Each structure stands twice: as structure tokens, then as C-alpha cells.
Amino acid sequence: MTHLKYKEQLGSRAQARISPMAHPVLLLLLVLLLVSPAISSSTKKVHPKFPAIFYFGDSIFDTGNNDYISTLGVANHLPYGRDFPGRRPTGRFSNGRLVPDLLNEKLQLKEFSPPYLDKNLSDEELKTGVNFASAGSGFDDRTSHLSHTLPLSAQVNLFEEYLQRLGDIVGDREASRIVTNSLIFINSGTNDFTRYYRSSRRIDIGEYQDTILRMVREYVKDMYNLGGRKFCLAGLAPFGCIPFQITLSGDPERACVDEQNRDAQNYNSKFEKMLQTLQASLNGSKIVYLNSYQALTEILVNTNKYGFTERKRGCCGTGLAEVGLLCNVFTQTCRNSSSYVFYDAVHPTERVYRIATDYILKNVIPKF
């Protein structure tokens, strides 16, 4: 008897011994066997897409660096942080967490994005990325002069200092690997242009936009020369819809400032094209543009869809001008911050940042 015939006979005898009542049991066992690999694979640890993320920019990203410098641009007091874990102010200009915190958590790096100027950071924190952003800053050094904050030039210098510290911890070779494979995320520019509108406007807006773009180009090149290869740069949001900007316009109807929003769109168009050209000139780089204008406009236009009831005022005080020191423990705040787009007269609520983080995960991260 051949081996094949023996198997066929054995199979037929086995089938004959199986009663009809036993079929459901076997079927259940078969299903469990098929499903179990899927179950076990879902419990496997998912490795982060990046070994670290480094954040640069202004108050939208600042997780507390301004607490460690001599400036009045701080949010280290209540009611900031009222919905942060532990219900404590940390220097974040919001009621809770910011995009750097939420994105770090979603990408399974760590729970928060620590400010680099915190001298108590552990080696492990340093290895998985830190935050260099400073509230009130911009690409233009002049933007930081009045507020005494850290412009992008100072943040890049801190990044260079950080790399030396990282090399001391893990060695130069490993430090180079971490930086090359990590994401450098930059969100800045809004303070530059809001300052421009409050100035004497000695140069044309188009000329000032080009000046800022030249600065952006040089900062990215500096970080590239320091080893960075993966960059995400956010364009301008529709800052003419920020409550504080609306208040300054004097419009009793509190409509968005169209001129500022048009200028933001024009800048973004130049910005996106410049980044494409820049990527082509930096061998091995990947530079992704984040359309912040689209992301926030979606929320402002469809407030009801996202469950918001107020988009023209902040939750803190009257919501018209309170920000920073003017939003303090003596200032009354709204009961439900989740129904507000803005927490103070400038900065969004954590709920907006959560929606923005989902937008980034869907539209930006897959491009790397």
C-alpha cells in the first residue's frame, strides 16, 4: 500500500468514527485555532514609528520651556492646566494637553512631551525626544525681543546642545541614528505676522512673507546639517479667527479678520512650494507640509458637527482678550471647556488639539 492510499484510508476511517454531534465541537476548535494568531498578534508591542520626536515653535507647542526663562509669557498658573492630569498648571497654554503630548502618546513614545529646559529630565526622556518650543516666539528674532522668549534661532542652538548631551548618554553613533530617524516638528510663524499687523508695516506683507520663508529655509538647513532628515512643518492657521485678533479689529459682529486670513493663505501657498524645493535640495530628506489652515477651518466651519458651541470667545474671562497673566486664578472660566474652540483669547482647548492630532495621524504621519 502506498503512503498516499494509506492516508486516504486513514482519513475515511476517522470520518466514519466521527458522529454528527461532534461536528460543531470540531468547528469551534477550528475557529479558535484560526482566530488565536490574530489575538496573539494584537497583544504584541507596537514599535514607535520614530525613535524620538523633537518639537520647535511657539505656544501651540510649548510644554513649559518658558517656565525656565525670564519672561512674562507664562502659563504656569491656574486656570491653565485645570484639565491636565493632576489638575495642575505646567506652562501649557491650554486647559490640558497639547499636540506634542497627544502625538507622543498616540505614537507610543511616551505620555508627554517634556520641555528641554527642565534640568531634571532623565536620560530616558532625553533619548525619546524633547520639546524646544517657546511661547511668544517666531522665526523672526525680533518677535521674541519684547516678550523675552526663545526664537527659532535660540531653539536650534539648544538642539545642538541637546545632541552633545545625547552623545554623552548613548554614544555619538547611536545619537546620530536616533536623530536621523526621528521626526523634527516645527510650528511657528503666527506671532511673526500678528506682530507685523500691530507694527508700522514699513514693508509690504508679501516682502515680509518672503523674509520669513528665507529664515525657515535656513533653520531647516541648520537642523539637516545637525543630522535631521525627517521634518514636518506646519503652515499658518486662520489666525484672523483668533478671538484676540477679532477683538483688535473692533468688529462688533466679531467676524474673522478676512485680510489676515487671506494673507495666511498666500503665505501658506508660498510656504508649501518652498518646502518642496527645499526637500529636493537636501539629499535624503523628507519634508512634509501640515495644512493647519485646513485643519482649524474644518472645526470653525463645522462647530456643531464637532460638538462646539462657542468659537468667537475664549473660555477664560470674557474670552475677548484674556491670555497669559490676564487669564489667572481670579478670572472666571466657563463651566465646560470642551464646548469651546478656544481656552483663552488665543489658544485652543485640549479638545481641539485632540482633533488636530487625529488630523496629523491621518494626513501627515503616513507620508513618512
Coordinates of all heavy atoms in Angstrom, one line a residue, residues 295-333:
A295 N -7.1 72.4 8.7 CA -7.5 71.6 9.9 C -8.3 72.5 10.9 O -9.4 72.0 11.4 CB -6.2 71.1 10.7
L296 N -7.9 73.7 11.1 CA -8.7 74.6 12.0 C -10.0 75.1 11.4 O -11.0 75.2 12.0 CB -7.8 75.7 12.6 CG -8.5 76.6 13.6 CD1 -9.0 75.8 14.8 CD2 -7.6 77.7 14.1
T297 N -9.9 75.4 10.1 CA -11.1 75.9 9.4 C -12.2 74.8 9.4 O -13.4 75.2 9.6 CB -10.7 76.2 7.9 OG1 -9.8 77.3 7.9 CG2 -12.0 76.6 7.1
E298 N -11.8 73.6 9.3 CA -12.8 72.5 9.4 C -13.6 72.6 10.7 O -14.8 72.4 10.7 CB -12.1 71.1 9.2 CG -12.9 69.9 9.6 CD -14.0 69.6 8.7 OE1 -14.1 70.1 7.6 OE2 -14.9 68.8 9.1
I299 N -12.9 72.9 11.8 CA -13.5 72.9 13.1 C -14.4 74.2 13.2 O -15.5 74.2 13.7 CB -12.5 72.9 14.2 CG1 -11.8 71.5 14.2 CG2 -13.1 73.2 15.6 CD1 -10.6 71.5 15.2
L300 N -13.8 75.3 12.7 CA -14.5 76.6 12.8 C -15.8 76.7 12.0 O -16.8 77.3 12.4 CB -13.6 77.8 12.4 CG -12.4 78.0 13.3 CD1 -11.5 79.0 12.7 CD2 -12.8 78.5 14.7
V301 N -15.8 76.0 10.9 CA -16.9 76.0 10.0 C -18.0 75.0 10.4 O -19.2 75.2 10.3 CB -16.5 75.7 8.5 CG1 -17.7 75.5 7.6 CG2 -15.6 76.8 8.0
N302 N -17.5 73.9 11.0 CA -18.4 72.8 11.4 C -18.4 72.6 12.9 O -18.2 71.5 13.4 CB -18.0 71.5 10.7 CG -18.1 71.6 9.2 OD1 -19.1 71.7 8.6 ND2 -16.9 71.5 8.6
T303 N -18.6 73.7 13.7 CA -18.5 73.7 15.1 C -19.6 72.7 15.7 O -19.2 71.9 16.6 CB -18.8 75.1 15.7 OG1 -19.9 75.6 15.1 CG2 -17.6 76.0 15.5
N304 N -20.8 72.7 15.2 CA -21.8 71.8 15.7 C -21.5 70.4 15.5 O -21.8 69.5 16.3 CB -23.2 72.1 15.1 CG -23.7 73.5 15.5 OD1 -23.4 74.0 16.6 ND2 -24.5 74.1 14.7
K305 N -20.9 70.1 14.3 CA -20.5 68.7 14.0 C -19.6 68.1 15.0 O -19.6 67.0 15.4 CB -19.9 68.7 12.6 CG -19.2 67.4 12.2 CD -18.5 67.5 10.9 CE -17.7 66.2 10.5 NZ -17.0 66.4 9.3
Y306 N -18.7 69.0 15.5 CA -17.7 68.5 16.5 C -18.1 68.8 17.9 O -17.3 68.5 18.9 CB -16.3 69.2 16.2 CG -15.7 68.8 14.9 CD1 -15.8 69.5 13.8 CD2 -15.0 67.6 14.9 CE1 -15.2 69.1 12.6 CE2 -14.4 67.2 13.7 CZ -14.5 67.9 12.5 OH -14.0 67.5 11.4
G307 N -19.3 69.3 18.1 CA -19.9 69.5 19.5 C -19.5 70.8 20.2 O -19.6 70.9 21.4
F308 N -18.9 71.7 19.4 CA -18.6 73.0 20.0 C -19.8 74.0 19.9 O -20.5 74.0 18.9 CB -17.4 73.6 19.3 CG -16.1 72.8 19.4 CD1 -15.6 72.1 18.3 CD2 -15.4 72.8 20.6 CE1 -14.5 71.4 18.4 CE2 -14.3 72.1 20.7 CZ -13.8 71.4 19.7
T309 N -19.9 74.8 20.9 CA -21.0 75.8 20.9 C -20.4 77.3 20.8 O -21.2 78.2 20.6 CB -21.8 75.7 22.2 OG1 -21.0 75.9 23.3 CG2 -22.5 74.3 22.2
E310 N -19.1 77.4 21.1 CA -18.5 78.8 21.1 C -17.2 78.8 20.4 O -16.3 78.0 20.7 CB -18.4 79.3 22.5 CG -17.8 80.7 22.6 CD -18.6 81.8 21.9 OE1 -19.7 82.1 22.3 OE2 -18.1 82.2 20.8
R311 N -17.0 79.6 19.3 CA -15.8 79.7 18.6 C -15.2 81.1 18.5 O -14.2 81.3 17.9 CB -16.0 79.2 17.2 CG -17.0 79.9 16.3 CD -17.2 79.3 14.9 NE -18.2 79.9 14.1 CZ -18.0 81.0 13.4 NH1 -16.8 81.6 13.4 NH2 -19.0 81.5 12.7
K312 N -16.0 82.1 19.0 CA -15.6 83.5 18.8 C -15.0 84.1 20.1 O -14.5 85.2 20.1 CB -16.7 84.4 18.4 CG -17.3 84.0 17.0 CD -18.4 85.0 16.5 CE -18.9 84.6 15.1 NZ -19.9 85.6 14.7
R313 N -15.1 83.4 21.2 CA -14.6 83.8 22.5 C -13.9 82.7 23.2 O -14.2 81.5 22.9 CB -15.7 84.3 23.4 CG -16.5 85.5 22.9 CD -17.8 85.6 23.8 NE -18.6 86.7 23.3 CZ -18.6 88.0 23.8 NH1 -17.8 88.2 24.9 NH2 -19.4 88.9 23.3
G314 N -12.9 83.0 24.1 CA -12.3 82.0 24.8 C -13.1 81.6 26.1 O -14.0 82.3 26.5
C315 N -12.7 80.5 26.7 CA -13.4 80.1 27.9 C -13.0 80.9 29.1 O -13.8 81.0 30.1 CB -13.0 78.6 28.1 SG -13.4 77.9 29.7
C316 N -11.8 81.5 29.1 CA -11.3 82.3 30.2 C -11.8 83.7 30.2 O -11.6 84.5 29.3 CB -9.8 82.2 30.2 SG -9.0 83.0 31.7
G317 N -12.4 84.1 31.3 CA -12.9 85.5 31.4 C -14.0 85.9 30.4 O -14.9 85.0 30.1
T318 N -13.9 87.1 29.8 CA -14.8 87.4 28.8 C -14.5 86.7 27.5 O -15.4 86.6 26.6 CB -14.7 89.0 28.5 OG1 -13.4 89.2 28.0 CG2 -14.9 89.8 29.7
G319 N -13.3 86.2 27.4 CA -12.9 85.4 26.2 C -12.5 86.3 25.1 O -12.2 85.9 24.0
L320 N -12.4 87.7 25.3 CA -12.1 88.6 24.3 C -10.6 89.0 24.3 O -10.1 89.2 23.2 CB -12.9 89.9 24.5 CG -14.5 89.7 24.6 CD1 -15.1 91.1 24.8 CD2 -15.0 89.0 23.3
A321 N -10.0 89.0 25.4 CA -8.6 89.5 25.5 C -7.7 88.8 26.5 O -6.5 89.0 26.5 CB -8.5 91.0 25.7
E322 N -8.4 88.0 27.4 CA -7.6 87.3 28.5 C -6.7 86.2 27.9 O -7.1 85.3 27.3 CB -8.6 86.7 29.5 CG -9.4 87.7 30.3 CD -10.7 88.2 29.6 OE1 -10.8 87.8 28.4 OE2 -11.5 88.8 30.2
V323 N -5.4 86.4 28.2 CA -4.4 85.4 27.8 C -3.2 85.6 28.7 O -2.9 86.7 29.1 CB -4.0 85.6 26.3 CG1 -3.4 87.0 26.0 CG2 -3.0 84.5 25.8
G324 N -2.5 84.6 29.0 CA -1.3 84.7 29.8 C -1.6 85.1 31.2 O -2.5 84.6 31.9
L325 N -1.0 86.2 31.7 CA -1.2 86.7 33.1 C -2.6 87.2 33.3 O -3.1 87.3 34.4 CB -0.2 87.8 33.4 CG 1.3 87.3 33.4 CD1 2.2 88.5 33.7 CD2 1.5 86.2 34.5
L326 N -3.3 87.6 32.2 CA -4.6 88.1 32.3 C -5.7 87.0 32.5 O -6.8 87.3 33.0 CB -5.0 89.0 31.1 CG -4.2 90.3 30.9 CD1 -4.7 91.0 29.6 CD2 -4.4 91.2 32.1
C327 N -5.2 85.8 32.2 CA -6.1 84.6 32.5 C -5.5 84.0 33.7 O -4.5 83.3 33.7 CB -6.1 83.7 31.3 SG -7.0 82.2 31.5
N328 N -6.1 84.3 34.9 CA -5.4 83.8 36.1 C -6.5 83.3 37.1 O -7.6 83.1 36.8 CB -4.7 85.0 36.8 CG -5.6 86.2 36.9 OD1 -6.6 86.2 37.6 ND2 -5.2 87.3 36.3
V329 N -6.0 83.0 38.3 CA -6.8 82.3 39.3 C -8.1 83.2 39.7 O -9.1 82.7 40.2 CB -6.0 82.0 40.6 CG1 -5.5 83.2 41.3 CG2 -6.7 81.0 41.5
F330 N -8.0 84.5 39.5 CA -9.1 85.3 39.8 C -10.1 85.5 38.7 O -11.1 86.2 38.8 CB -8.6 86.7 40.3 CG -7.6 86.7 41.4 CD1 -6.3 86.9 41.3 CD2 -8.1 86.4 42.7 CE1 -5.4 86.8 42.3 CE2 -7.2 86.3 43.8 CZ -5.9 86.5 43.6
T331 N -9.8 84.9 37.5 CA -10.6 85.1 36.3 C -11.6 83.9 36.3 O -11.2 82.8 36.4 CB -9.7 85.0 35.1 OG1 -8.6 85.9 35.2 CG2 -10.5 85.5 33.9
Q332 N -12.8 84.3 36.1 CA -13.9 83.2 36.0 C -13.7 82.5 34.7 O -13.4 83.1 33.6 CB -15.2 83.8 36.1 CG -16.4 82.8 36.2 CD -17.7 83.5 36.5 OE1 -17.8 84.7 36.5 NE2 -18.7 82.6 36.8
T333 N -13.9 81.2 34.7 CA -13.8 80.5 33.4 C -15.2 79.8 33.1 O -16.0 79.6 34.0 CB -12.7 79.4 33.5 OG1 -12.9 78.6 34.6 CG2 -11.3 80.0 33.6

